[in-house]
Structures are given as C-alpha cells and as structure tokens.
C-alpha cells in the first residue's frame, strides 16, 4: 500500500486470487484472477453425433453470441441473452450445446470457457433453485466453498462480479442455462456486465428475461430421416444401413415421430438394440395411435414422460382445456371453438390457450386465434383426457352443437338467393353477409370434413348427418369436389347403417344430392336420392319421397342426354320402379318424339335406364369414368 499523504492518490492491489471478507480499501482496488482457466469451465456436455436440420437456428444464435466492437473507444458492446424455447423433446438442449461448441471453437470468442448448468426446471425431484445453482456455478468459477456466502442476493452479486472480472481480463465466458421453467429461476444466473453472453433453454417462452427469443420447431421429414440414419450408424457403425436401405419405411417412421428429435432418437435406439430388426417392422409397430407412445420409450427416456413433466406444471383450468383439445378432430381449432369446449367465455379461453402456447404444449396458428397440437402431444392429451370421461362427453356435445349451429347459419347466407335448394331458411343474422359466411367455412373447412368423415368413435352420427347437409353448399361453390364426394360417401354409409333417424338422413341425402347435381356429378346424386327415397318411405313422408323421385327423373334425363349410367346404378333404378310402384305412371302416354317424351310408365323408365347405361359402351366409358361429366362427352 502506498503512503497516504493528504491530497495524494491511494490505491490497493490484490493479486494471486480472490479475496472476500474485510478489506481495508483505499480509493481503487484491482482484482487479478488466477491466470489458468479452471477445468470446470470446460464442462459442456458432448454434442450429439446425429444433428441436422438446425443450421438456421445455429447461425442465429452464433450471431447473437459473436463479440462485437463499437463505440468511440472501441469497447465491446453488450450481447443480449438468447432464450431458446420449444416443446418437450424438440432439441433445445442439443441446439444450445451444438451452438456453444461451435462458439468455443471461434478464436477469441470465449477464451474464458463455458459454464453449463441444468436447472431441471420441470422435474419436481431434480428441480434446482437459483440459490443452489449459483453455488455450483461459483465453484466452477474457482471460488472456494468457504468463501461462497449464504443467501440468493449475496451469491448473485458475487457471481456477477466474478464474471465481470473475467470479462475485464479478456477471458469472456459463455453461460448456458438449460431447462429453466420460469424467468424467476433463470434470471439470477444471468450476467449483467454487458459482455458475458448467456443462452437459456426452456419449454416456456421466457419473455421476462429481456432476451432475444428463439422458438424451435419440429424437423422436416428430410431432416428427420437424416437424424434416424445418423443415430443408427453412430450406434452400430456405418455398415448398418437399415434406414437407408428401406427409405419408404424410414419415411413412415419419420412422419409418425412427427419431426420430434426425442422420438426420432428413441426410434433409432430401438432399432440399434435389435440388430436384425428391419425398419419396416418398427414402422408397422408405430402405426397404431393408441400404443405409439408406449412404443416410443427406452429405459432411460420416453416421449410420454417428457410430456408429463410439462403437463404437471399446468393449473387445473389449463390442464382441463388441454385434455379437451383433442376432441376436435381437425388439424387446428379456433378460440371460439375452444370457448365451447371449455364452457367459458372468449377472454378466459384465449388466456388459457395463450398460456398453453407459452408452455409450447400447443402451437399458435399463422393467423391469430387458431391453435394446433403436435401429433404426439395430441396423442398424450387424448390419453390423459380419457381419464376424465364425463368432461369429454359434455365438451364433445358443446363442440358439435357449435359447429352445427354455425354451419347452419353460414349455409343460410350462401343459399340466400337460391330458389330451388332443399330446406330453404331465412338468412341468419349470425353472419353479416355471404363473404363472412364463406370465410367461416374456409377457416373451419378441415375441422368440418374431419368431423363428418371421421371414425364413429370420434364423430357422432347425428352430427355427421346434419353437418353434411349444411356444409355441402360451401363445398360446391368453393369447388371442393373431393370433399363433397367424401361426405356423400359417408352419408351413404350412415344411411345404409341407419345410424341416424330416417327423416334426418333422408333430408341430408336430399341436400347433398342437390349440390352434387349442380357440381355435375349426376350419377352420385342419383345414388344418394335412391337412398333418400328409402329413408322417406321408412319414416312415412310421401311428400319428401315425391320430391326425391322427381329429382331422380330430372337427373336421369340429364344423364340420358350427356352422361353415362353405370350398370350398378341402372340395376338399382330398375329395382326402384319395381318396389316403389307409386313412382310409375299407371298407363303409357304416347308422345310425338321419343327423345322428349315425358311419360314415366314402367316401359319409359326402363327405356331411359337402358339407353343411359348403353352410353358407357357407346362412348367408350367404363365404371370408373362415369362421375362428373359436365357438358357433352368427348
């Protein structure tokens, strides 16, 4: 210590280590850290050998971590904290490790090394509070245990001071904080010197850290196939080409794993553990939805277990709506639909969905107000949802009723100016006009089709029957012919099984046949109308039966002029005039022209049916080419 003269400069220098407790301080104190890098500052986990499909994310993170020079004095500007978030098993830790390994290899970026800590934020048995995490980090920085103070704030101040000291000595450190569950768990571990960089990973979007946010998505199919192949070759050597040799089965496995790296690595491990098992066998084993999560498990890791840790962090209301979401069979659902599922108001439903999105249990759509589930997460949510059957049944009823009422209202706007459509209704005030009604159908298109054509266990027959009739006008006007034919086929099956009341089935058959005819699918329309006739006769509704028969006559004339009647349909029509004698005129009425005659006696019926059926042979068409013949045949 220099002499303390009045008005003179006084300074203190501490060398050879770090000093804590009492220090007699002059005006300036300089701390000189030990010159050797502590071995614990090289404790980064080994990067995985199978890593692909993340180049863009790695480049973005490296751009955040790169040291930059700015300012008049050439000082180093602060580097923002980077927060990587995503679904459980999406590869957040691996991305951070891979990026850190590459950053450490850049000359001059992090000469001080790297600090890595796993906070196990979602595991209640391994959860690391920030105070205990700071103790481990300080020890890694070379601070003796006896010099580590008690209390979160004291440890936090010491930790940040040591990081700043390393930075001043040009020994910049990279801090990797893995698996934080909340901003509060990660914040005390963040450096504040403006130079030390940090990467945080979490299943939640930690927007409270003032960090640059990176959302991690699933891998593409090509990247998923590459991960499978690389992981197997790493485990068994380059000679194991089972994935490469059966690319079709490998693609199936990649799709069933839905681009989730954890699932892909487990699938590769399953094959690696059985050297003689072909990829096709694993692909077949993963096909069944109800056992897929059981298959994607190894003794030390499992997809279901990873999802369960996230599920446990939900509040009761969040967990309830999460369990109900798979009831909607479509690829995504609206906030409005979720409101009916949860039996709550719109604001509350949106808050719950937003929290699920922050936890990466659901995915917000490109358009705000729509939400989806990862395929494997959907299986898990459906699994836990079946543990509460009473909630599911009530929620399913509310959701189906919502879709039925909205589609009916939207249909009323679309058919507002049509005069001959079945079941004419006054235009609903639920939609301001036809454009708004069409937009609603467009948004809910996939959900409605999935609900109509889905398996019986997921689609009540009543809902499917009614929705088919209400959705058909939109499908026709929007030129969604394949979907129109699909709901027609479903309705036909429901009719044959009498899965709903004959009256309701008959009316929907009539409504869908009308749209098929207008889309130039007269043969399909006739087939539905014959089913409608049976239904109306069964429920003793002669007026509706007469309407269906009149439509059959109209379509048959059109087919006779410009179409072709299949043999199957011709036989059904011949059977119709035998069993429904009231649709046959009792006597033949002669006309001047046979082609324009309006008589519908048994002979005229047969003549028209036979002539229409002959069109197949006459014009070179077969059974597969008799659908959708707009205008004249070539």
């Amino acid at each position: 210590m220099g002499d303390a003269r009045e008005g003179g400069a006084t300074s203190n220098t501490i060398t050879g280590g770090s000093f804590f407790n009492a220090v007699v301080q002059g005006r300036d104190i300089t701390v000189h850290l030990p010159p050797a890098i502590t071995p614990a500052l090289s404790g980064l986990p080994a990067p995985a050998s199978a890593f692909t499909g993340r180049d863009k994310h790695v480049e973005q993170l490296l751009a955040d971590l790169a040291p930059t020079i700015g300012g008049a004095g050439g000082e180093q500007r602060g580097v923002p904290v980077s927060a990587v978030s995503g679904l459980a098993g999406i590869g957040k830790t691996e991305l951070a490790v891979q990026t850190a390994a590459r950053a450490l290899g850049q000359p001059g970026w992090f000469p001080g090394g790297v600090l890595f800590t796993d906070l196990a934020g979602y595991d209640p048995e391994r959860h690391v509070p920030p105070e205990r995490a700071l103790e481990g980090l300080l020890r890694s920085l070379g601070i003796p245990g006896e010099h580590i103070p008690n209390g979160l704030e004291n440890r936090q101040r010491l930790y940040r001071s040591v990081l700043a000291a390393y930075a001043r000595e040009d020994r910049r450190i990279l801090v990797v904080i893995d698996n934080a569950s909340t901003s509060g768990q990660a914040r005390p571990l963040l450096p504040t010197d403006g130079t030390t960089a940090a990467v945080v990973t979490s299943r939640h979007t930690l927007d409270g850290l003032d960090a640059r946010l990176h959302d991690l998505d699933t891998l593409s199919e090509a990247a998923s196939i590459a991960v499978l192949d690389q992981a197997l070759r790493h485990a068994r050597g380059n000679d194991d080409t089972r994935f490469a040799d059966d690319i079709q089965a490998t693609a199936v496995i990649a799709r069933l794993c839905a681009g989730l790296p954890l699932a892909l690595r487990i699938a590769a491990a399953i094959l690696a553990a059985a050297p003689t098992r072909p990829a096709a066998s694993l692909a077949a084993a993963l096909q069944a939805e109800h056992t897929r999560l059981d298959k994607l498990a190894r003794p030390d890791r499992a997809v279901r277990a990873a999802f369960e840790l996230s599920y446990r962090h939900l509040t009761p209301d969040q967990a309830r709506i999460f369990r109900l979401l798979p009831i909607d069979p479509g690829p995504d659902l609206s906030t409005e639909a979720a409101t009916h599922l949860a039996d709550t108001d719109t604001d509350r439903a949106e808050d719950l969905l937003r929290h699920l999105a922050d936890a990466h249990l659901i995915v917000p759509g490109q358009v705000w107000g729509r939400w989806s589930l990862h395929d494997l997460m959907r299986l898990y949510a459906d699994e836990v949802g079946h543990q509460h059957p009473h909630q599911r049944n009530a929620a399913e009823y509310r959701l189906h009723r919502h879709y039925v009422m909205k589609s009916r209202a939207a249909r009323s706007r679309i058919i507002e100016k049509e005069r001959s459509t079945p079941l004419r209704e006054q235009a609903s005030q639920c939609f301001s006009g036809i454009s708004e009604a069409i937009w609603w159908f467009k948004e809910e298109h996939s959900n409605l089709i999935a609900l109509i054509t889905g398996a019986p266990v997921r689609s009540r027959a009543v809902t499917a029957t009614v929705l088919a009739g209400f959705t058909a006008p939109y499908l026709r006007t929007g030129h969604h012919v394949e979907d129109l034919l699909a709901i027609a086929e479903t309705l036909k099956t429901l009719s044959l099984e009498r899965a709903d009341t004959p009256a309701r089935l008959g009316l929907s058959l009539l409504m869908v046949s009308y749209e098929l005819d207008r889309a130039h699918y007269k043969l399909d329309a006739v087939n539905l109308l014959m089913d409608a006739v049976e239904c109306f006769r069964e429920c003793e509704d002669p007026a509706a039966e007469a309407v269906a028969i009149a439509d059959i006559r109209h379509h048959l004339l059109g087919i006779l002029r410009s179409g072709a009647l299949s043999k199957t349909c011709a036989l059904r029509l011949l059977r119709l005039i035998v069993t429904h004698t009231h649709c046959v005129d009792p006597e033949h009425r002669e006309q001047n022209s046979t082609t324009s005659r309006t008589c519908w006696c048994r002979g005229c019926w047969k003549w028209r049916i036979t002539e229409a059926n002959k069109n197949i042979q006459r014009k070179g068409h077969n059974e597969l080419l008799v659908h959708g013949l707009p205008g004249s045949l070539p």
Side-chain angles (χ1 to χ4, degrees):
M1 179 183 297
D3 294 335
R5 299 184 179 90
E6 184 177 353
T10 301
S11 64
N12 297 272
T13 301
I14 301 174
T15 61
S18 300
F19 287 78
F20 308 97
N21 302 319
V23 175
V24 179
Q25 181 176 344
R27 193 177 66 183
D28 301 305
I29 293 180
T30 303
V31 177
H32 295 282
L33 297 170
I37 296 178
T38 307
L41 290 173
S42 301
L44 190 70
S49 58
F51 181 78
T52 188
R54 300 296 193 199
D55 293 344
K56 179 180 178 181
H57 293 284
V58 171
E59 290 174 2
Q60 290 174 342
L61 283 173
L62 287 175
D64 292 346
L65 297 177
T68 55
I69 306 298
E75 70 275 8
Q76 198 170 44
R77 293 201 305 264
V79 177
V81 176
S82 296
V84 180
S85 59
L87 173 69
I90 203 69
K92 302 177 293 294
T93 300
E94 188 58 39
L95 175 65
V97 169
Q98 293 278 350
T99 304
R102 298 186 193 186
L104 288 175
Q106 297 293 326
W109 279 29
F110 296 103
V114 61
L115 284 174
F116 180 90
T117 182
D118 181 2
L119 299 183
Y122 297 87
D123 190 336
E125 297 179 357
R126 297 175 51 242
H127 183 276
V128 180
E131 185 175 349
R132 181 150 59 91
L134 284 170
E135 179 182 2
L137 292 173
L138 286 167
R139 290 181 183 274
S140 296
L141 288 165
I143 307 302
E146 62 269 20
H147 293 311
I148 298 177
N150 293 323
L152 176 61
E153 291 186 3
N154 292 330
R155 290 181 176 181
Q156 180 178 301
R157 281 194 292 266
L158 175 59
Y159 165 73
R160 288 173 173 171
S161 298
V162 174
L163 287 179
Y166 269 87
R168 286 194 299 270
E169 297 261 334
D170 291 329
R171 292 158 65 183
R172 183 175 180 242
I173 290 173
L174 171 61
V175 180
V176 179
I177 304 167
D178 188 35
N179 209 9
S181 60
T182 64
S183 296
Q185 189 185 19
R187 190 180 294 109
L189 281 59
L190 296 178
T192 55
D193 54 75
T195 300
T196 305
V199 177
V200 184
T201 72
S202 176
R203 299 182 186 187
H204 283 75
T205 300
L206 301 182
D207 52 3
L209 295 181
D210 191 26
R212 184 164 296 163
L213 304 178
H214 298 265
D215 293 317
L216 206 54
D217 201 356
T218 53
L219 295 173
S220 65
E221 183 174 317
S224 298
I225 292 173
V227 168
L228 288 169
D229 187 53
Q230 292 172 13
L232 181 61
R233 290 175 186 267
H234 177 74
R236 284 289 175 180
N238 287 329
D239 291 339
D240 196 330
T241 58
R242 279 176 286 173
F243 282 129
D245 292 342
D246 193 345
I247 197 64
Q248 184 175 357
T250 305
V252 170
I253 295 170
R255 287 194 294 271
L256 295 177
C257 290
L260 190 70
L262 174 62
L264 294 166
R265 294 181 188 280
I266 290 175
I270 292 172
L271 220 58
T276 61
R277 185 176 187 178
S281 170
L282 179 58
L286 295 176
Q287 289 285 357
E289 289 187 352
H290 67 284
T291 60
R292 191 174 304 157
L293 293 179
D294 294 327
K295 303 292 185 183
L296 291 173
R298 298 298 294 158
D300 59 336
R301 60 201 186 279
V303 172
R304 179 188 285 109
F307 291 168
E308 187 175 356
L309 292 178
S310 294
Y311 176 69
R312 289 178 181 175
H313 276 255
L314 300 178
T315 66
D317 285 346
Q318 292 168 3
R320 176 174 172 270
I321 195 171
F322 171 73
R323 294 191 300 265
L324 297 177
L325 292 178
I327 293 175
D328 191 302
D332 64 357
L333 83 163
S334 65
T335 302
E336 183 183 29
T339 299
H340 291 273
L341 265 180
D343 195 20
T344 186
D345 59 79
T346 303
D347 288 342
R348 178 59 177 161
E350 186 172 275
D351 285 343
L352 293 172
L353 293 168
R354 184 170 49 81
H355 281 98
L356 292 180
D358 287 343
H360 288 88
L361 291 171
I362 64 175
V363 182
Q366 293 183 350
V367 177
W368 179 252
R370 301 202 69 84
W371 316 84
S372 62
L373 283 161
H374 181 273
D375 289 350
L376 295 179
M377 185 63 77
R378 174 183 284 274
L379 294 180
Y380 176 75
D382 196 48
E383 184 179 281
V384 296
H386 275 91
Q387 299 171 11
H388 303 78
H390 298 299
Q391 289 183 2
R392 285 181 63 90
N393 292 338
E396 183 181 62
Y397 172 79
R398 292 191 299 269
L399 179 69
H400 287 196
R401 187 176 187 277
H402 160 68
Y403 280 135
V404 166
M405 298 304 292
K406 291 286 285 191
S407 61
R408 180 174 188 172
R411 174 187 181 269
S412 71
R413 283 293 185 181
I414 293 177
I415 66 168
E416 188 174 359
K417 296 182 179 180
E418 296 184 11
R419 296 287 175 248
S420 57
T421 181
L423 190 63
R424 282 194 51 77
E425 296 182 294
Q426 186 176 359
S428 171
Q429 299 305 308
C430 182
F431 295 96
S432 60
I434 187 172
S435 296
E436 186 178 337
I438 290 176
W439 176 257
W440 183 86
F441 267 127
K442 181 179 179 181
E443 290 291 293
E444 301 297 347
H445 179 161
S446 298
N447 289 327
L448 296 174
I449 297 303
L451 195 52
I452 296 168
T453 62
V457 71
R458 302 186 68 177
S459 175
R460 293 179 178 174
V462 174
T463 304
T465 300
V466 176
L467 278 180
F470 292 155
T471 307
Y474 162 74
L475 297 178
R476 188 257 305 168
T477 58
H479 306 288
H480 302 290
V481 178
E482 290 186 3
D483 289 330
L484 183 60
L485 292 171
I487 69 168
E489 189 64 29
T490 298
L491 196 56
K492 185 176 180 62
T493 300
L494 293 173
S495 173
L496 292 174
E497 296 175 353
R498 289 298 188 268
D500 196 4
T501 63
R504 193 155 40 221
L505 283 166
L507 181 57
S508 288
L509 287 164
L510 196 63
M511 294 164 70
V512 175
S513 70
Y514 174 81
E515 304 303 334
L516 284 170
D517 172 52
R518 297 200 66 189
H520 306 293
Y521 281 74
K522 293 184 180 296
L523 179 60
D524 298 271
V526 169
N527 273 309
L528 289 193
L529 285 168
M530 285 189 283
D531 293 326
V533 169
E534 298 292 342
C535 289
F536 289 137
R537 188 178 189 187
E538 186 175 333
C539 66
E540 298 180 349
D541 189 345
E545 185 180 358
V547 171
I549 291 174
D551 282 349
I552 291 175
R553 292 176 175 178
H554 170 73
H555 298 335
L556 183 56
L557 290 175
I559 292 173
L560 181 61
R561 288 193 301 269
S562 59
L565 189 65
S566 70
K567 182 177 180 181
T568 302
C569 190
L571 291 174
R572 288 196 69 193
L573 282 172
L574 290 172
R575 193 178 301 116
L576 176 74
I577 63 174
V578 172
T579 57
H580 294 69
T581 55
H582 54 283
C583 72
V584 178
D585 292 344
E587 295 181 0
H588 175 67
R589 299 191 300 273
E590 290 292 341
Q591 302 292 329
N592 294 330
S593 172
T594 57
T595 57
S596 62
R597 59 185 174 181
T598 57
C599 177
W600 288 95
C601 68
R602 190 179 304 277
C604 291
W605 266 101
K606 289 183 177 180
W607 179 84
R608 291 189 178 96
I609 293 170
T610 303
E611 288 298 307
N613 179 238
K614 287 180 180 179
N615 286 346
I616 295 178
Q617 292 81 23
R618 183 182 303 125
K619 300 181 180 181
H621 289 269
N622 57 39
E623 291 274 345
L624 298 179
L625 298 177
V626 296
H627 296 284
L629 302 174
S632 59
L633 289 170

